Amino acid sequence: MKLKKCIFILPVLIIVVAAIVFFSFEKKIENFADQEINLNQELIFTVPAGTGRTGLETLLIQHKLIENNQLLPWLFRFKPELAKFKAGTYRLKSGMALKTVLQLFASGKEAQFSIRFIEGSRLLDWAKILQSAPYLKHETENKTPQELIDALGMQAGESLEGWFYPDTYLYTAGTSDIELLKRAHNKMKTILDQEWESREKNLPYKNAHEMLIMASIIEKETAIESERTKVASVFVNRLRLKMRLQTDPTVIYGLGDKYTGTIFRSNLTMFTPYNTYMVEGLPPTPIAMPGLASIKAAAHPAVTEYLYFVANGDGGHTFTTNLVAHNKAVNIYRQRLKQDK
């Protein structure tokens, strides 16, 4: 009778012990998953394509995010959903649990990087920013302007200058600079088309490209919101009267590397297609990447009789309707400069 009881009890004991051992080990695995990774500051962590479970464990150990132990393979067995990680570049932060890290890898939500292009910047400025942007794939390097135009899918005859919308763009690691430029170009084209359709009637532009050129000049002439439509009105009035625009920013653009920070009188008599003191009408291309406010100003200039403007010494400009008043404003500005020295 005792033997029969022992035979009955022994399997039960084995099952109980096994259950205790199992749940104890499962708890250990859970504690391992819940422990924080060894990280004191943000880390950009890349899971290469083709990485398996062993490869990921090796990477985590190499970055000293976990200790070298045998628990990670067991964690993948207990939690197979955590083993479905995706290749990519991720942003890891201090205080993250190992389970949270693996869930991030499984989600495929890669780190987002940002790149900012400001209004009034030029293509040369954009090239430098793109070149220094982290985790960006560089494909524009060594391309000729025409090759770049073709790669971007731009229309024949379009200039690279001016056709990219200045804004902050987000991207993931491995995104190409070509792709970013495409996004900026498409955004500029969309905005320009909208403003061209809603523009004021009888403006002296043959097409949207000429309006973009005007917007780029406005962008370089003033950074004051309330002045943009007045500046636009001056240039629109001049175009209507067949007066030369005589705007310094176009001269500076035409000088290129020869510009050293000061416009000399000799520069105004040096011919370039952008010297609006010598050539009539608009320059052949935009001279910068204009923002929305300048594009709107070009499409909706103020209705004025202004033909001139000059800096007033306070960051803004004095607008006048005739040369006598303009010369007076110039003298006032020059006197103020002398007083400030």
Side-chain angles (χ1 to χ4, degrees):
M1 192 73 177
K2 291 181 180 180
L3 182 60
K4 288 183 178 180
K5 286 184 178 180
C6 288
I7 293 173
F8 175 76
I9 292 172
L10 185 60
V12 173
L13 288 174
I14 292 173
I15 292 172
V16 170
V17 171
I20 292 172
V21 171
F22 175 82
F23 287 115
S24 175
F25 186 67
E26 186 180 37
K27 185 64 177 177
K28 187 176 182 180
I29 293 298
E30 288 179 357
N31 289 337
F32 172 66
D34 290 334
Q35 74 180 17
E36 293 183 3
I37 56 174
N38 300 321
L39 190 62
N40 295 322
Q41 59 185 8
E42 185 177 275
L43 173 68
I44 302 299
F45 186 93
T46 299
V47 179
T51 301
R53 297 183 181 186
T54 302
L56 180 60
E57 181 179 7
T58 300
L59 287 172
L60 292 172
I61 292 170
Q62 285 178 348
H63 284 84
K64 299 180 181 179
L65 299 178
I66 63 172
E67 301 295 334
N68 189 356
N69 57 52
Q70 304 301 316
L71 295 180
L72 189 60
W74 285 102
L75 176 58
F76 287 146
R77 291 184 183 182
F78 277 89
K79 302 285 186 180
E81 67 274 12
L82 297 179
K84 298 177 181 180
F85 44 86
K86 299 178 177 67
T89 298
Y90 301 89
R91 193 183 303 275
L92 305 186
K93 298 181 179 179
S94 175
M96 291 180 73
L98 175 60
K99 179 171 65 177
T100 305
V101 170
L102 295 175
Q103 287 171 337
L104 178 63
F105 294 165
S107 72
K109 294 179 181 177
E110 294 189 66
Q112 293 276 331
F113 303 93
S114 65
I115 190 167
R116 181 170 180 262
F117 304 106
I118 63 172
E119 293 88 347
S121 53
R122 294 166 52 185
L123 188 62
L124 287 174
D125 303 317
W126 284 47
K128 293 175 183 177
I129 294 171
L130 289 169
Q131 191 61 40
S132 61
Y135 301 98
L136 194 64
K137 186 178 179 182
H138 301 290
E139 295 182 341
T140 60
E141 201 170 1
N142 299 324
K143 278 189 176 352
T144 65
Q146 187 56 54
E147 288 173 339
L148 192 52
I149 287 172
D150 293 340
L152 293 170
M154 295 174 65
Q155 295 181 5
E158 285 185 345
S159 62
L160 290 169
E161 195 71 86
W163 274 103
F164 303 100
Y165 189 74
D167 203 350
T168 297
Y169 295 90
L170 299 178
Y171 65 94
T172 55
T175 299
S176 73
D177 48 9
I178 290 286
E179 184 178 335
L180 275 180
L181 288 175
K182 278 183 180 179
R183 286 165 57 189
H185 173 64
N186 289 335
K187 189 169 185 179
M188 177 62 86
K189 192 172 184 302
T190 298
I191 289 173
L192 187 65
D193 287 345
Q194 291 172 348
E195 295 303 320
W196 176 251
E197 289 300 319
S198 66
R199 72 191 185 280
E200 299 296 327
K201 295 180 179 179
N202 302 317
L203 292 176
Y205 313 133
K206 296 176 183 176
N207 48 47
H209 182 235
E210 288 196 350
M211 193 173 81
L212 183 64
I213 295 172
M214 176 64 80
S216 73
I217 297 173
I218 296 167
E219 188 69 60
K220 299 302 287 185
E221 282 286 10
T222 183
I224 299 176
E225 190 78 21
S226 60
E227 283 194 349
R228 287 193 172 100
T229 56
K230 291 181 182 178
V231 169
S233 75
V234 170
F235 292 131
V236 165
N237 290 340
R238 280 177 163 260
L239 286 175
R240 284 172 173 159
L241 294 172
K242 306 298 182 183
M243 293 176 65
R244 292 174 182 172
L245 297 184
Q246 296 183 322
T247 169
D248 291 351
T250 63
V251 176
I252 292 170
Y253 187 85
L255 289 173
D257 294 337
K258 295 178 182 177
Y259 178 66
T260 58
T262 303
I263 295 182
F264 298 100
R265 191 173 296 275
S266 59
N267 296 143
L268 302 182
T269 58
M270 180 188 302
F271 176 81
T272 77
Y274 295 88
N275 186 346
T276 51
Y277 285 83
M278 297 187 69
V279 299
E280 295 181 357
L282 292 163
T285 72
I287 59 171
M289 313 296 180
L292 180 59
S294 293
I295 296 172
K296 283 184 173 293
H300 307 278
V303 178
T304 75
E305 294 182 358
Y306 295 138
L307 293 173
Y308 304 89
F309 63 92
V310 66
N312 60 16
D314 294 322
H317 296 84
T318 299
F319 294 84
T320 50
T321 60
N322 58 77
L323 188 57
V324 173
H326 174 65
N327 288 336
K328 183 178 179 180
V330 170
N331 289 332
I332 292 173
Y333 173 62
R334 287 173 177 171
Q335 289 172 9
R336 182 161 184 175
L337 286 181
K338 291 179 181 178
Q339 291 172 359
D340 292 340
K341 286 184 178 179

